[in-house]
Amino acid sequence: LRQRQDREFTERMLLNQIFYLRGKLIKLMQYPTDAEWVLGSRPMGSDWIPPPVQALIVVDRLMRPWRQFSGRNSMFIGFRNTLGLPRSAASVIHLPRESLVKYQRDFFSQWWDLSRLPDFSTRGEDLRRYRDSQGHAIRSHQWRKTFANFLYRTNAALLQAISQHFKHLSLAMTEQGYIGSDPTLLAVLDNVRAQHTYDLFYEVALGERLIAGQMSKMIDAHVDDLRKMSTGNRNHDYERISAWVNLNEYRIWYQEHGKCLISARPEKARCHELAGTSSWENLAPAYATASPAVCMTCCCFLVDPQHEAFWRTRFSENFAAYDEAKRTGFASEYRVAYERARQSAAVLHKLSLGHDIPELAEFAGIEGEEADA
């Protein structure tokens, strides 16, 4: 069976040529992180070029002379001076995001007549600001929502593909920034969130996924009930657990450092307590006040191995800062770094991770923090 699956996968790869774009994830990331996006595909042997690839080829051709002149390796190049052409490499700069946004708005203002737009669209969207500003109210990230709507309405089975392409279901603040009030897209993301929630409870019930955090205590209390649903038929068991999750209306909200199941105890969400918005009606986190330290004290929060990278980085950075301070006699001034390192060590220890980190097992206080994790 495995050989047949491998052969079928190879045959599919030979039938299509896929174009990828390599870039960096920056928003809400501590450091720029390498990422990859699918730009398009074509049948093997075809000379047709997908439109997104064509656009990048044009940009590359336009910018290449200035890239070679300056030695810069940026996709988009700009000039430090707005008048004339640069005479030295120092006058060629990486084009700021603000300039890209401005050029996009100028393009709409110059080439599109928006003066005849009605006050509202057929879906009730307010179009007056686009008409009155002559396109300058358009924001670049609106295309993400448009693209998601197009994909979903083309084929509702593309939910997982949308999730992977956007790469921000775990970046909850970005998710909140682009969803808006479109009921179709809200349904898309709720379905994806529900799917991940099913996976979580199912794998915990089977013992295939370890979890830490205050919410893990509530889930552990239900593990026996979830296991009783097991009949040995994986598909049937998954459907039963899915029905149980839907009955309780559990949904996961993703953050880089963990998962929030606020729907289980909305009135107890720590982030809303700090924001002064505590209510049983709040079924989404208050991201402005959410942080790793706050979330780890919240009964709605849990961590699993999917968040290993964050907690490893948090431990190594804070441990290094505290260790250096201790060697130079400033340990008392780095108490925050010490506590963050202890908490990170406890999370990794609870999840049976970080065995390759020599300092982890030796780090003081891990036993005491394990209960908190």
Side-chain angles (χ1 to χ4, degrees):
L1 177 61
R2 178 61 181 271
Q3 290 176 347
R4 187 179 71 184
Q5 291 174 337
D6 291 344
R7 184 172 64 254
E8 291 174 351
F9 176 76
T10 303
E11 290 173 351
R12 288 197 300 270
M13 293 298 292
L14 291 175
L15 290 175
N16 293 281
Q17 186 177 23
I18 302 176
F19 295 84
Y20 294 92
L21 173 68
R22 292 176 181 168
K24 301 283 187 181
L25 285 177
I26 297 177
K27 191 170 185 179
L28 295 183
M29 306 297 289
Q30 189 169 9
Y31 303 104
T33 303
D34 292 333
E36 208 171 54
W37 288 266
V38 174
L39 283 181
S41 66
R42 67 184 181 188
M44 186 63 68
S46 170
D47 59 358
W48 179 77
I49 301 177
V53 180
Q54 292 184 41
L56 287 179
I57 290 174
V58 171
V59 171
D60 177 66
R61 188 169 67 245
L62 289 172
M63 301 295 180
R64 189 182 304 145
W66 301 110
R67 196 180 296 118
Q68 294 172 345
F69 175 71
S70 64
R72 291 186 173 274
N73 193 32
S74 300
M75 173 63 73
F76 294 97
I77 296 295
F79 302 152
R80 193 178 300 276
N81 299 315
T82 57
L83 299 177
L85 296 175
R87 300 178 60 182
S88 66
S91 297
V92 180
I93 61 173
H94 169 73
L95 193 64
R97 180 185 65 85
E98 293 78 10
S99 296
L100 284 172
V101 174
K102 177 182 181 299
Y103 294 154
Q104 175 187 255
R105 292 170 175 171
D106 289 346
F107 174 82
F108 277 101
S109 178
Q110 183 175 355
W111 295 100
W112 290 77
D113 181 11
L114 304 179
S115 61
R116 298 181 181 180
L117 281 179
D119 289 349
F120 297 92
S121 71
T122 55
R123 292 192 298 175
E125 298 162 317
D126 190 347
L127 304 179
R128 291 172 295 183
R129 57 196 182 105
Y130 302 108
R131 181 189 62 204
D132 298 341
S133 67
Q134 297 182 343
H136 281 267
I138 293 174
R139 304 170 66 186
S140 57
H141 74 264
Q142 287 177 279
W143 304 117
R144 299 162 70 90
K145 176 180 175 180
T146 303
F147 181 66
N149 274 278
F150 170 76
L151 283 181
Y152 181 66
R153 288 167 181 165
T154 300
N155 185 352
L158 292 173
L159 292 177
Q160 201 67 22
I162 294 171
S163 167
Q164 294 172 0
H165 186 79
F166 282 173
K167 302 183 189 301
H168 64 18
L169 285 178
S170 60
L171 306 177
M173 191 177 295
T174 305
E175 176 186 287
Q176 292 300 297
Y178 91 94
I179 287 178
S181 57
D182 189 289
T184 302
L185 190 53
L186 285 170
V188 172
L189 293 171
D190 184 66
N191 286 336
V192 174
R193 189 178 293 114
Q195 187 69 46
H196 289 305
T197 309
Y198 305 155
D199 293 339
L200 170 70
F201 279 95
Y202 184 61
E203 292 174 13
V204 169
L206 294 180
E208 296 177 355
R209 189 188 302 200
L210 296 175
I211 54 176
Q214 299 293 326
M215 177 53 66
S216 66
K217 301 172 185 176
M218 186 278 285
I219 295 177
D220 288 342
H222 288 291
V223 165
D224 289 339
D225 293 334
L226 293 171
R227 287 174 180 164
K228 290 177 182 176
M229 299 180 191
S230 177
T231 62
N233 183 316
R234 192 176 184 92
N235 291 333
H236 181 62
D237 295 345
Y238 189 83
E239 289 178 2
R240 295 182 70 181
I241 289 181
S242 300
W244 180 84
V245 169
N246 288 333
L247 178 65
N248 289 279
E249 298 184 344
Y250 293 141
R251 290 294 184 272
I252 288 175
W253 292 84
Y254 285 86
Q255 299 198 73
E256 186 183 9
H257 53 280
K259 296 175 171 67
C260 177
L261 273 163
I262 189 172
S263 56
R265 299 290 300 277
E267 77 286 358
K268 296 292 186 180
R270 184 74 179 121
C271 57
H272 280 290
E273 288 181 1
L274 294 175
T277 55
S278 294
S279 170
W280 62 270
E281 295 179 316
N282 289 327
L283 299 180
Y287 295 108
T289 53
S291 70
V294 170
C295 292
M296 285 303 293
T297 64
C298 180
C299 64
C300 303
F301 186 75
L302 65 88
V303 184
D304 64 28
Q306 292 180 349
H307 307 282
E308 177 183 3
F310 173 86
W311 292 99
R312 288 175 69 97
T313 300
R314 194 169 191 254
F315 173 79
S316 59
E317 291 180 350
N318 285 281
F319 176 82
Y322 175 75
D323 191 51
E324 176 65 22
K326 186 170 65 173
R327 284 190 280 107
T328 55
F330 293 95
S332 61
E333 298 179 20
Y334 280 74
R335 185 67 185 177
V336 172
Y338 173 75
E339 293 299 335
R340 287 177 177 174
R342 281 216 313 159
Q343 187 182 67
S344 303
V347 170
L348 293 170
H349 183 71
K350 180 74 179 292
L351 298 176
S352 297
L353 301 171
H355 300 298
D356 58 320
I357 305 176
E359 302 87 358
L360 194 67
E362 303 172 4
F363 195 61
I366 188 171
E367 296 82 3
E369 281 293 309
E370 187 176 345
D372 293 337

